[in-house]
Amino acid sequence: MSFYRVSLPYQTDAASYYAALADLPWAVWLDSGGMGRYDILTAAPYRTVILREEDVCADPFAMLRAELGETVAPIADVPFAGGVLGYWSYDLARRIVVLPNIAQNAEQLPDMAVGIYDWALVIDHHLRTASLVSHQRIAETTALLPQILQRLQGKQALPADTFRVQGNITSNFTPDSYANAFDQVQNYLQAGDCYQINLAQRFSAQAEGDAFGTYLKLRQLSPAPYSAFLNLPQAQILCTSPERFLRVQNGTVETKPIKGTRPR
């Protein structure tokens, strides 16, 4: 197992690099929105892991740790050269702790859908570099990397924004029920039962169009340092967030919740 690194032209906007990978399975873009240090792009995982509500798995995190195998030594200025990317739902916590089961499973999505990847394109906006990197954990990666490199060295047009909503947009709250829930949250906070609650509305509508083109429009309208586009078979996830949920570095876990801490 040897470390692979090939330099590519640095680009301030990684959109064209993602466009070169967009048709590959499980293509993922962790997007700093021009505000953070790194963009991380990858696709074509060598394994995928999907857990649904009915699947038996006591500790999915321990299972993924075992799937990753031997820990590799960190490489300076390379935050990710392969590993697990995807989504972990909040309901995944029910496999570890006992929680009341009162939420509605409206989307019928898996509790977890992740790919285990063996390479990544890392764009470092501080050093102004772009590198295709891999620890080459599996033999197949050696043959795949030249194909990925050829894609990234080519020119790829960006998709148009063809996304259109069909019909009305609905919420899972009425104005009155949301106001009542907000008042209850205030009571929880003042009683000291919690320090942060994300009282979110679920808006839904029928829609059509290209999700990647829509994400490009979204990041233009609402750039954020913790953005992402995940093109998974189960769902296409478009994310723009100003808040980093967790950071783990040198054995230290850091969280910086910002919801409700400043006027809007």
Side-chain angles (χ1 to χ4, degrees), residues 163-170 202-208:
F163 182 81
R164 298 293 181 270
V165 172
Q166 309 292 323
N168 296 326
I169 300 174
T170 60
R202 180 189 297 116
F203 293 97
S204 59
Q206 295 295 318
E208 63 179 12

Side-chain angles (χ1 to χ4, degrees), residues 84-145:
V84 180
L85 288 176
Y87 81 79
W88 292 259
S89 73
Y90 282 107
D91 288 306
L92 200 64
R94 301 180 187 281
R95 299 173 184 269
I96 301 172
V97 297
V98 177
L99 296 170
N101 190 14
I102 59 176
Q104 295 181 356
N105 187 4
E107 293 87 2
Q108 298 296 315
L109 291 173
D111 289 348
M112 179 179 79
V114 300
I116 304 179
Y117 300 84
D118 198 30
W119 63 271
L121 174 65
V122 176
I123 299 176
D124 186 331
H125 296 293
H126 288 186
L127 298 180
R128 299 181 67 82
T129 60
S131 303
L132 179 61
V133 294
S134 172
H135 288 290
Q136 300 185 95
R137 286 176 173 268
I138 62 170
E140 290 79 1
T141 304
T142 304
L144 177 63
L145 286 170

Side-chain angles (χ1 to χ4, degrees), residues 28-32 38-42 79-80 85 120-123:
V28 174
W29 176 12
L30 304 186
D31 178 11
S32 66
Y38 297 109
D39 280 33
I40 297 172
L41 298 80
T42 189
F80 185 88
L85 288 176
L121 174 65
V122 176
I123 299 176

